[in-house]
DNA sequence: TTTGTTTAGTTGCATAAACAACTGTATGCC
DNA sequence: GGCATACAGTTGTTTATGCAACTAAACAAA
C-alpha cells in the first residue's frame, strides 16, 4: 500500500482544493478587471466549446464535471449573453448541439490571454517539470474517481 | 519565462479544479455511507480544529480559504450539531474561540479514516514522489495567490 | 476624553449548487 | 405495433456561496 505512508495532515491541500479555489477566484477577478463579464463557470464551458464546438449538454457535463441541471443553467445564461446558441440535433431530437456564436468566438483570445496570465501568477516559482507531474497526478485522480 | 512554454489546453485541469472537486464529492459520499452526517465544508473546519483546537473564526478563514460569512455559518451549523462551541475570548471580546466538543472529538478518528480511504481511492496508481511534487505545486500556487 | 481607523464577527440579499422528480425522445425486445 | 427501459434535458426546492453593509470592540493619536 504505497499511499498509506504519507502523513494525513499533509494531504489537506489535496482534499479541500484550496489551490484551485484560489486560482478560480483570481481568474474571476482578472476577468472582471478586464471588463469581461463572465463567471469562471461560464468560462469553463466556453473553454470546452472553443476547443470543440458543437458538443451537447451531456458532453459538457462530462467535460466540466458538473451535473445536468448546472449545465442547463450555465447554457441558459450563456445564451442570454448571446455567447452560445442551442441548436436541436437532427439526428437525435433529445439533444441540443451547443454552438459558439460570433460574439462567443471573439472572447476566446482575450480570455485565454487572461487565463494564461493568471496561471503564470499562480505558478510563479514552479518548474515545468513539476507542473507536468502535478498535471499527471490531477488527471489520475480525476480518472480514478469519475 | 519558464512557465510560458507549456500549452494552454493542457492546463485546464489546474484551473477548474476538477480533481479536487471530484475528491470533495467522493468524500461527501463516503461520509454519508458511513452514517456521518457532515458536509465536506464542515469537515474542513473540524479538520483544522482537530489539529489546533481553540482557533478563532478569522484563523479558520485563513486556514480554510473561506470568507468570514461562510465561516460564521459553518460554525453556526457545527454548533447546532453540538460538534463545536463558541467561547468569547477574555483577552479580546471581539473574538470567538472555537472549541471542539466531546462529540466533535469523537468524530475525529472515524472521519480521518474515511478521509484516508477516499484519498487512497483517488491516488491509486500515483507514487509518493509524484504526490510530494503535486503537493509542493499546490502549496506554491496557494502562497502565490493568497 | 474623543475622534478616527482597524479588526472580529454577523446579517441581508442575490446568485449558484446539489439532488430529486419530471418531460420528451430514442432504443431494444417481444 | 406495443411495451419497458435508457437517455437528454428541464424544473423545483433546499441549501450554500460571495459580496456588501453593518455592529461592536480594540487600538492609536491628539
Amino acid at each position: 500500500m504505497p499511499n498509506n505512508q504519507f502523513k494525513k495532515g499533509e494531504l489537506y491541500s489535496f482534499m479541500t482544493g484550496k489551490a484551485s479555489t484560489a486560482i478560480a477566484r483570481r481568474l474571476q477577478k482578472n476577468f472582471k478587471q478586464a471588463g469581461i463579464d463572465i463567471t469562471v463557470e461560464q468560462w469553463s464551458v466556453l473553454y470546452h466549446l472553443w476547443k470543440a464546438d458543437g458538443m451537447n449538454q451531456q458532453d459538457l457535463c462530462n467535460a466540466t464535471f458538473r451535473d445536468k441541471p448546472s449545465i442547463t443553467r450555465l447554457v441558459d445564461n450563456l445564451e442570454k449573453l448571446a455567447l452560445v446558441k442551442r441548436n436541436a440535433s437532427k439526428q437525435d431530437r433529445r439533444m441540443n448541439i451547443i454552438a459558439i456564436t460570433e460574439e462567443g468566438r471573439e472572447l476566446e483570445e482575450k480570455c485565454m490571454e487572461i487565463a494564461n496570465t493568471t496561471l503564470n501568477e499562480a505558478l510563479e516559482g514552479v518548474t515545468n517539470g513539476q507542473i507536468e507531474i502535478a498535471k499527471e497526478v490531477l488527471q489520475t485522480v480525476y480518472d480514478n474517481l469519475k
Side-chain angles (χ1 to χ4, degrees), chain A:
Chain A
M1 294 184 228
N3 290 334
N4 282 332
Q5 292 163 15
F6 48 83
K7 295 170 215 99
K8 296 187 261 189
E10 295 176 3
L11 293 170
Y12 183 64
S13 57
F14 268 96
M15 325 258 344
T16 56
K18 283 190 303 184
S20 52
T21 305
I23 293 188
R25 288 199 199 153
R26 180 62 61 97
L27 184 59
Q28 182 77 74
K29 196 177 132 196
N30 288 350
F31 279 150
K32 200 170 179 179
Q33 277 183 351
I36 296 179
D37 207 22
I38 61 173
T39 66
V40 276
E41 289 78 21
Q42 292 170 345
W43 174 81
S44 79
V45 170
L46 288 175
Y47 177 92
H48 286 287
L49 292 172
W50 287 325
K51 276 205 301 188
D53 198 12
M55 297 170 96
N56 66 28
Q57 297 187 196
Q58 186 60 50
D59 293 336
L60 288 171
C61 291
N62 300 335
T64 61
F65 211 77
R66 291 186 163 80
D67 66 357
K68 291 196 288 180
S70 297
I71 292 296
T72 295
R73 281 153 184 149
L74 279 170
V75 173
D76 285 350
N77 291 334
L78 288 171
E79 243 185 347
K80 276 181 206 153
L81 295 170
L83 299 175
V84 305
K85 192 171 177 331
R86 281 183 173 93
N87 297 315
S89 166
K90 282 164 189 169
Q91 282 78 40
D92 185 337
R93 286 188 303 159
R94 292 173 302 181
M95 281 200 272
N96 293 328
I97 304 296
I98 312 299
I100 289 268
T101 63
E102 189 74 20
E103 277 159 283
R105 184 61 68 186
E106 280 166 11
L107 274 184
E108 179 174 5
E109 198 181 342
K110 202 166 176 188
C111 281
M112 282 320 236
E113 200 182 304
I114 292 168
N116 274 324
T117 304
T118 305
L119 221 35
N120 285 338
E121 284 179 61
L123 293 172
E124 173 134 18
V126 179
T127 67
N128 283 339
Q130 288 175 310
I131 291 167
E132 281 308 314
I133 291 169
K135 270 186 347 198
E136 276 171 42
V137 171
L138 293 176
Q139 187 61 48
T140 305
V141 166
Y142 178 65
D143 292 338
N144 282 344
L145 297 184
K146 84 178 165 191

